[in-house]
Amino acid sequence: MPLYNDQTLRIYNSLSGEKEVFKPISDGYVGMYVCGPTVYSNVHLGNVRTFMSFDMIFRYFKHLGYKVRYVRNITDAGHLENDGDVGEDKITKKAKLEAIEPMEIVQRYTVDFHNVLNTFNFLPPSIEPTATGHIIEQIELIETIIENGFAYVTNGSVYFDVHKYNTSNTYGILSKRKLEDLIHNTRSLDGQSDKKNPQDFALWKKAEPTHIMRWPSPWSDGFPGWHLECTAMSTKYLGERFDIHGGGMDLKFPHHECEIAQNQAAKGKDPVKYWMHANMLELNGARMSKSTGNYINPAELLSGDNDKMSKGYNPMVVRFFMMQASYKSILDLTDAGLKAAEKGFNRLMDSINLIEKLKTSDYTSSFDVNVWKQKCYDAMNDDFNTPILIATLFDAAKFINQVKDESASITKEDLELLKQTIETFTFDILGLVNVSKENFGTDKLSGAVEILINLRKEARLNKDFALSDKIRDELAEVGIQLNDSREGTTFTTN
Ligand code: AMP
Ligand code: ZN
């Protein structure tokens, strides 16, 4: 029996604005599409946060026993500067600056993207298709939309007729925008004169002579519009209607709105059952973004080589930091926040490392492991509430420390269940890696420091505070910090 039969998962659907019980279109299968990066520069941590949210969601679906097909694309053509229909292709622009081929830019930043995600322990998606690998599918889609009367050709370019579409459909259904308001708020821009209305968007653009990335089509040598690739690739790999479509909040309009319109116009179907939008990462109170310069690259954060943080942080501390917030909340990346996350992460790892050393007894006191286990599921079932999950994991961490101090007891069976559950949620679902264990968990340093921690505890019990302070200070001198908390003493190294 797969686990999903026992759990009721609720997902906040941006389309309905409500938490809904998750019921896949096909029993036992989940199809999920997430808009991937435009590979024209290094990924920043804001991008990482969005993809990490969906990595955690992918992991939980898999854990529940679903067969998941997770498609995350690579945008390697058609995404113009300013996200609009005029201007230069982001990738071509960078290629010209560096006097290299656009595909060299694509290769460089795709490799960077994969390296960064590996550092943060992401699972690879099931399929990672590229826009340039699906030009034929995109042309076919445009032909169908034209046949169905929702697009028109002007000077070799093809535009989606938003006004015509809106007579029989609702443009703005996802972003809750009204076409009348959009008309009111948009001014006709130079260079958009090919369009019947400024709200129309490009499905195919005729390439200027200087535009390098171009393909033949029935209308012109040109390139597809940005929104089209996701419709072509999601339909190809997940079908005309699939379970989940995700992306950053900033993609809701116009990108996702246009995806819905394209699907409806081509196939007459609403493509997505649950729309999920991850919220933005900020840096010191302002939205992290390449264009404003308020960003920090993963490598700079990890090495400490930046002017915004006091030191470098382990990638698992960063992952823990991000998982401490709900994917739907804005999260502000700060040095203080990361420092607190480092403490929390180390405390959780120390507790997990302790489990193997615990003594068991005939009964379990003051902690019901089965109730606690279901609380972990309840947190995740409530729209992937990772902050509540982490708080629940700390309930177990506290209990583990009590057992260690012999102020509580646990049976062998309960200890086995606790160990298995805490490890599943921490490593398989949150995607954390036990770095403390990797580095020194079971090795000699850990053992030696543990001995000193116990000696210091004895000294304090004997009110020999001079000795206790000496142990702490001398360890600090060699780079080992002792951290005292209600649950006991742990250590960190630098
Ligand atoms: P892009 O490469 O600009 O198309 O962005 C890739 C993904 O990162 C999209 O899903 C964006 O919504 C997301 N993204 C961009 N900036 C941020 C940010 N500051 N916080 C979270 N996600 C972001
Ligand atoms: Zn997309």
Side-chain angles (χ1 to χ4, degrees), residues 37-38 44 46-47 50-51 79 248 250-251 279-281 287-288:
T38 304
H44 61 66
N47 309 134
T50 286
F51 298 126
H79 195 172
D250 56 331
L251 297 185
N279 216 328
M280 295 290 109
L281 185 71
R287 156 100 167 266
M288 196 179 284

Side-chain angles (χ1 to χ4, degrees), residues 59 349 352 423-434:
R59 285 165 175 275
M349 292 308 123
I352 292 174
E423 291 188 349
T424 298
F425 279 93
T426 306
F427 304 129
D428 300 351
I429 295 171
L430 291 176
L432 296 165
V433 174
N434 194 344

Side-chain angles (χ1 to χ4, degrees), residues 111-128:
V111 168
D112 169 72
F113 176 63
H114 288 151
N115 284 342
V116 167
L117 297 200
N118 283 337
T119 310
F120 289 100
N121 197 35
F122 278 58
L123 296 177
S126 327
I127 306 177
E128 198 170 39

Side-chain angles (χ1 to χ4, degrees), residues 25-74:
I25 293 166
S26 299
D27 245 4
Y29 291 84
V30 174
M32 175 161 94
Y33 187 92
V34 172
C35 294
T38 304
V39 281
Y40 70 104
S41 67
N42 297 100
V43 278
H44 61 66
L45 281 153
N47 309 134
V48 170
R49 182 189 182 206
T50 286
F51 298 126
M52 191 184 287
S53 298
F54 290 102
D55 181 62
M56 169 275 291
I57 289 166
F58 177 41
R59 285 165 175 275
Y60 190 55
F61 278 125
K62 276 163 69 94
H63 170 74
L64 289 181
Y66 287 109
K67 290 202 168 59
V68 193
R69 183 178 293 166
Y70 172 25
V71 182
R72 188 186 63 211
N73 71 300
I74 296 276

Side-chain angles (χ1 to χ4, degrees), residues 11 15 41 55 69 95 146 157 219 240 354 374 378 396 416 431-432 445 477 493:
I11 295 182
L15 189 63
S41 67
D55 181 62
R69 183 178 293 166
I146 294 174
S157 293
W219 314 286
E240 291 172 6
L354 259 179
Q374 188 53 46
D378 291 347
E416 193 43 49
L432 296 165
L445 173 66
E477 270 172 33
T493 56

Side-chain angles (χ1 to χ4, degrees), residues 181-351:
D181 298 342
L182 291 170
I183 295 167
H184 193 68
N185 293 331
T186 34
R187 278 177 298 131
S188 184
L189 296 169
D190 286 346
Q192 293 195 338
S193 51
D194 279 356
K195 296 183 187 180
K196 282 196 210 163
N197 292 293
Q199 294 76 36
D200 296 349
F201 56 90
L203 297 174
W204 188 265
K205 286 277 291 188
K206 180 181 173 178
E208 300 294 322
T210 51
H211 196 104
I212 318 168
M213 298 179 90
R214 52 168 69 220
W215 292 265
S217 81
W219 314 286
S220 63
D221 271 12
F223 56 94
W226 172 40
H227 313 306
L228 197 64
E229 57 169 285
C230 290
T231 302
M233 293 186 275
S234 61
T235 306
K236 174 159 179 158
Y237 298 111
L238 299 172
E240 291 172 6
R241 186 161 162 79
F242 54 97
D243 297 298
I244 293 178
H245 192 316
M249 206 75 108
D250 56 331
L251 297 185
K252 211 189 249 186
F253 187 87
H255 186 56
H256 293 159
E257 200 67 66
C258 294
E259 277 190 49
I260 296 179
Q262 290 166 161
N263 266 88
Q264 289 280 19
K267 315 281 177 185
K269 279 194 185 152
D270 174 9
V272 176
K273 195 164 179 194
Y274 306 91
W275 278 97
M276 296 185 71
H277 289 98
N279 216 328
M280 295 290 109
L281 185 71
E282 297 187 341
L283 179 59
N284 297 323
R287 156 100 167 266
M288 196 179 284
S289 151
K290 275 263 145 111
S291 50
T292 59
N294 188 45
Y295 69 92
I296 184 164
N297 281 335
E300 296 164 348
L301 184 69
L302 304 185
S303 67
D305 188 11
N306 65 73
D307 55 7
K308 300 188 170 79
M309 303 293 160
S310 64
K311 64 186 197 96
Y313 291 94
N314 187 287
M316 288 306 111
V317 169
V318 180
R319 188 162 180 132
F320 183 85
F321 171 78
M322 291 186 177
M323 290 291 117
Q324 271 185 315
S326 154
Y327 79 89
K328 284 206 306 291
S329 320
I330 289 178
L331 176 62
D332 192 18
L333 187 75
T334 61
D335 197 41
L338 284 164
K339 274 196 179 138
E342 186 172 52
K343 271 196 186 147
F345 173 73
N346 287 332
R347 207 145 56 83
L348 185 60
M349 292 308 123
D350 289 342
S351 310

